[in-house]
Amino acid sequence: GQSRAISGVGSLLHQLAGPGGSVLEVGAGNGRLAHFLNRDGGPVAGRVIATDALAGRGFIGSFGDASVIAQPQQLSHDEAVATHAPTVVVSSWMPEEDWTAVWRAQPSVRAYVVLGECDGGQSGLPWETWGVRPSECFGAADADLPPPPWLVGPEPAADVVPPFQADGWARLGATEPAVAAVTRWMVGQGDEDTPRGNSTCATVFVRG
């Protein structure tokens, strides 16, 4: 259920942040995730700051839900990490652009958690965010579709490492069931029982 999922996410964030670390949610929308983490997130309760670039401008609902659970601070993701200097950053359904380079450049950040479709789905960018070459995300089955903007341009060379790896970070993988569960709860996304490419998941990146 919801409480169990939130507790699991809270435990993971606490493990990443440590006892005195802070947790920042960027792109928080209506503040739902941060609200429940602060209420039911166990060791991380009361330590999550919610921010969103459009908070306070009417764009605070999601998927038809216009209610405001907790008013996020009106800050873009880069303004938020510079202002709060968090230990851990969490983002749910990042748009199809890369925010993570800014987080890695912030010295205080030890880890970040991306919730949503991974590896070239609808969160972030294949190469810049996930370290997956764009051609691996657009196969023969997609040939009748217009190519996405991130497919235009040269492919990274075979010997080039992903940006997060070049920056000294490691990707831990999407193996935390509780975090995937809370993602599905937030967006009403029902994935198949068998994991697949681009499935809804949580992925953790840590500073090396």
Short mmCIF file of all heavy atoms in Angstrom, two decimals, residues 115-142:
data_model
loop_
_atom_site.label_atom_id
_atom_site.label_comp_id
_atom_site.label_asym_id
_atom_site.label_seq_id
_atom_site.Cartn_x
_atom_site.Cartn_y
_atom_site.Cartn_z
N LEU A 115 12.89 8.89 -10.49
CA LEU A 115 11.71 8.04 -10.54
C LEU A 115 11.01 8.26 -11.87
O LEU A 115 10.78 9.39 -12.28
CB LEU A 115 10.74 8.40 -9.40
CG LEU A 115 11.30 8.41 -7.98
CD1 LEU A 115 10.24 8.90 -7.00
CD2 LEU A 115 11.78 7.02 -7.58
N GLY A 116 10.66 7.18 -12.55
CA GLY A 116 9.97 7.31 -13.82
C GLY A 116 10.52 6.32 -14.83
O GLY A 116 11.22 5.37 -14.47
N GLU A 117 10.20 6.53 -16.10
CA GLU A 117 10.72 5.63 -17.14
C GLU A 117 12.22 5.85 -17.31
O GLU A 117 12.69 6.98 -17.36
CB GLU A 117 10.01 5.88 -18.46
CG GLU A 117 8.60 5.30 -18.51
CD GLU A 117 8.09 5.24 -19.93
OE1 GLU A 117 8.48 4.31 -20.65
OE2 GLU A 117 7.30 6.11 -20.31
N CYS A 118 12.95 4.77 -17.39
CA CYS A 118 14.41 4.86 -17.49
C CYS A 118 14.89 4.46 -18.88
O CYS A 118 14.13 3.93 -19.70
CB CYS A 118 15.07 3.98 -16.43
SG CYS A 118 14.69 2.22 -16.58
N ASP A 119 16.16 4.74 -19.14
CA ASP A 119 16.85 4.26 -20.34
C ASP A 119 16.17 4.68 -21.64
O ASP A 119 15.95 3.86 -22.54
CB ASP A 119 16.99 2.73 -20.31
CG ASP A 119 17.89 2.28 -19.18
OD1 ASP A 119 18.67 3.10 -18.68
OD2 ASP A 119 17.81 1.10 -18.79
N GLY A 120 15.84 5.96 -21.75
CA GLY A 120 15.28 6.43 -23.01
C GLY A 120 13.79 6.36 -23.09
O GLY A 120 13.23 6.32 -24.19
N GLY A 121 13.12 6.33 -21.96
CA GLY A 121 11.66 6.39 -21.96
C GLY A 121 11.20 7.83 -22.06
O GLY A 121 11.60 8.56 -22.96
N GLN A 122 10.39 8.26 -21.11
CA GLN A 122 9.87 9.62 -21.15
C GLN A 122 10.38 10.45 -19.99
O GLN A 122 9.76 11.43 -19.59
CB GLN A 122 8.34 9.58 -21.16
CG GLN A 122 7.80 8.90 -22.40
CD GLN A 122 6.28 8.85 -22.43
OE1 GLN A 122 5.62 9.48 -21.63
NE2 GLN A 122 5.74 8.09 -23.36
N SER A 123 11.50 10.08 -19.43
CA SER A 123 12.15 10.85 -18.37
C SER A 123 13.61 11.04 -18.73
O SER A 123 14.32 10.08 -18.97
CB SER A 123 12.05 10.13 -17.02
OG SER A 123 10.72 10.08 -16.55
N GLY A 124 14.07 12.28 -18.76
CA GLY A 124 15.46 12.55 -19.07
C GLY A 124 15.80 12.25 -20.52
O GLY A 124 14.93 12.09 -21.38
N LEU A 125 17.09 12.18 -20.79
CA LEU A 125 17.61 11.88 -22.13
C LEU A 125 18.42 10.60 -22.08
O LEU A 125 19.10 10.32 -21.08
CB LEU A 125 18.50 13.02 -22.62
CG LEU A 125 17.80 14.37 -22.84
CD1 LEU A 125 18.82 15.44 -23.21
CD2 LEU A 125 16.73 14.26 -23.92
N PRO A 126 18.37 9.78 -23.14
CA PRO A 126 19.03 8.47 -23.10
C PRO A 126 20.51 8.54 -22.70
O PRO A 126 20.93 7.88 -21.75
CB PRO A 126 18.87 7.95 -24.53
CG PRO A 126 17.63 8.62 -25.03
CD PRO A 126 17.64 9.98 -24.41
N TRP A 127 21.29 9.34 -23.41
CA TRP A 127 22.73 9.36 -23.16
C TRP A 127 23.09 10.23 -21.96
O TRP A 127 23.79 9.80 -21.05
CB TRP A 127 23.46 9.85 -24.41
CG TRP A 127 24.96 9.90 -24.26
CD1 TRP A 127 25.75 11.02 -24.26
CD2 TRP A 127 25.84 8.79 -24.11
NE1 TRP A 127 27.07 10.67 -24.11
CE2 TRP A 127 27.16 9.31 -24.02
CE3 TRP A 127 25.67 7.40 -24.03
CZ2 TRP A 127 28.28 8.50 -23.86
CZ3 TRP A 127 26.78 6.59 -23.88
CH2 TRP A 127 28.07 7.14 -23.79
N GLU A 128 22.60 11.45 -21.95
CA GLU A 128 23.00 12.40 -20.92
C GLU A 128 22.54 11.98 -19.53
O GLU A 128 23.25 12.18 -18.55
CB GLU A 128 22.46 13.79 -21.26
CG GLU A 128 23.10 14.44 -22.47
CD GLU A 128 22.49 14.00 -23.78
OE1 GLU A 128 21.67 13.05 -23.77
OE2 GLU A 128 22.83 14.59 -24.82
N THR A 129 21.35 11.41 -19.43
CA THR A 129 20.79 11.04 -18.13
C THR A 129 21.14 9.60 -17.76
O THR A 129 21.57 9.33 -16.63
CB THR A 129 19.27 11.20 -18.13
OG1 THR A 129 18.93 12.54 -18.51
CG2 THR A 129 18.69 10.90 -16.75
N TRP A 130 20.96 8.68 -18.70
CA TRP A 130 20.99 7.25 -18.38
C TRP A 130 22.26 6.54 -18.85
O TRP A 130 22.53 5.42 -18.40
CB TRP A 130 19.78 6.56 -18.99
CG TRP A 130 18.50 7.19 -18.60
CD1 TRP A 130 17.69 8.01 -19.37
CD2 TRP A 130 17.84 7.11 -17.34
NE1 TRP A 130 16.61 8.42 -18.65
CE2 TRP A 130 16.67 7.88 -17.40
CE3 TRP A 130 18.15 6.43 -16.14
CZ2 TRP A 130 15.80 8.01 -16.33
CZ3 TRP A 130 17.28 6.55 -15.06
CH2 TRP A 130 16.12 7.34 -15.16
N GLY A 131 22.99 7.15 -19.79
CA GLY A 131 24.17 6.47 -20.32
C GLY A 131 23.85 5.41 -21.35
O GLY A 131 24.63 4.48 -21.56
N VAL A 132 22.70 5.55 -22.01
CA VAL A 132 22.28 4.61 -23.05
C VAL A 132 22.38 5.32 -24.40
O VAL A 132 21.87 6.43 -24.56
CB VAL A 132 20.84 4.13 -22.82
CG1 VAL A 132 20.38 3.23 -23.96
CG2 VAL A 132 20.73 3.41 -21.49
N ARG A 133 23.05 4.71 -25.36
CA ARG A 133 23.20 5.34 -26.66
C ARG A 133 21.84 5.48 -27.34
O ARG A 133 21.03 4.55 -27.33
CB ARG A 133 24.18 4.55 -27.54
CG ARG A 133 25.62 4.78 -27.11
CD ARG A 133 26.62 3.89 -27.79
NE ARG A 133 27.97 4.36 -27.52
CZ ARG A 133 28.59 4.21 -26.33
NH1 ARG A 133 27.98 3.58 -25.34
NH2 ARG A 133 29.81 4.70 -26.15
N PRO A 134 21.57 6.66 -27.93
CA PRO A 134 20.25 6.92 -28.50
C PRO A 134 19.77 5.87 -29.49
O PRO A 134 18.59 5.52 -29.51
CB PRO A 134 20.42 8.29 -29.18
CG PRO A 134 21.49 8.95 -28.37
CD PRO A 134 22.44 7.85 -27.98
N SER A 135 20.69 5.33 -30.31
CA SER A 135 20.27 4.34 -31.31
C SER A 135 19.71 3.08 -30.65
O SER A 135 18.94 2.34 -31.27
CB SER A 135 21.46 3.98 -32.21
OG SER A 135 22.51 3.39 -31.45
N GLU A 136 20.09 2.81 -29.41
CA GLU A 136 19.58 1.64 -28.70
C GLU A 136 18.15 1.84 -28.23
O GLU A 136 17.50 0.89 -27.81
CB GLU A 136 20.48 1.33 -27.51
CG GLU A 136 21.92 1.01 -27.87
CD GLU A 136 22.81 0.87 -26.65
OE1 GLU A 136 22.27 0.65 -25.55
OE2 GLU A 136 24.03 1.00 -26.80
N CYS A 137 17.66 3.07 -28.29
CA CYS A 137 16.31 3.38 -27.80
C CYS A 137 15.32 3.56 -28.93
O CYS A 137 14.13 3.76 -28.68
CB CYS A 137 16.33 4.66 -26.96
SG CYS A 137 17.50 4.65 -25.62
N PHE A 138 15.78 3.52 -30.17
CA PHE A 138 14.91 3.79 -31.32
C PHE A 138 15.19 2.73 -32.36
O PHE A 138 16.07 2.87 -33.19
CB PHE A 138 15.20 5.19 -31.87
CG PHE A 138 14.10 5.75 -32.73
CD1 PHE A 138 12.96 6.30 -32.15
CD2 PHE A 138 14.19 5.73 -34.12
CE1 PHE A 138 11.95 6.83 -32.94
CE2 PHE A 138 13.18 6.26 -34.91
CZ PHE A 138 12.06 6.82 -34.32
N GLY A 139 14.45 1.63 -32.27
CA GLY A 139 14.73 0.47 -33.09
C GLY A 139 13.84 0.35 -34.31
O GLY A 139 13.11 1.28 -34.68
N ALA A 140 13.87 -0.83 -34.90
CA ALA A 140 13.10 -1.08 -36.13
C ALA A 140 11.60 -0.91 -35.89
O ALA A 140 10.86 -0.47 -36.78
CB ALA A 140 13.40 -2.49 -36.64
N ALA A 141 11.15 -1.24 -34.68
CA ALA A 141 9.72 -1.13 -34.39
C ALA A 141 9.25 0.32 -34.39
O ALA A 141 8.05 0.60 -34.50
CB ALA A 141 9.42 -1.76 -33.03
N ASP A 142 10.20 1.26 -34.29
CA ASP A 142 9.85 2.68 -34.25
C ASP A 142 10.07 3.37 -35.59
O ASP A 142 9.97 4.59 -35.68
CB ASP A 142 10.70 3.39 -33.18
CG ASP A 142 10.56 2.75 -31.82
OD1 ASP A 142 9.41 2.53 -31.40
OD2 ASP A 142 11.59 2.49 -31.18
#
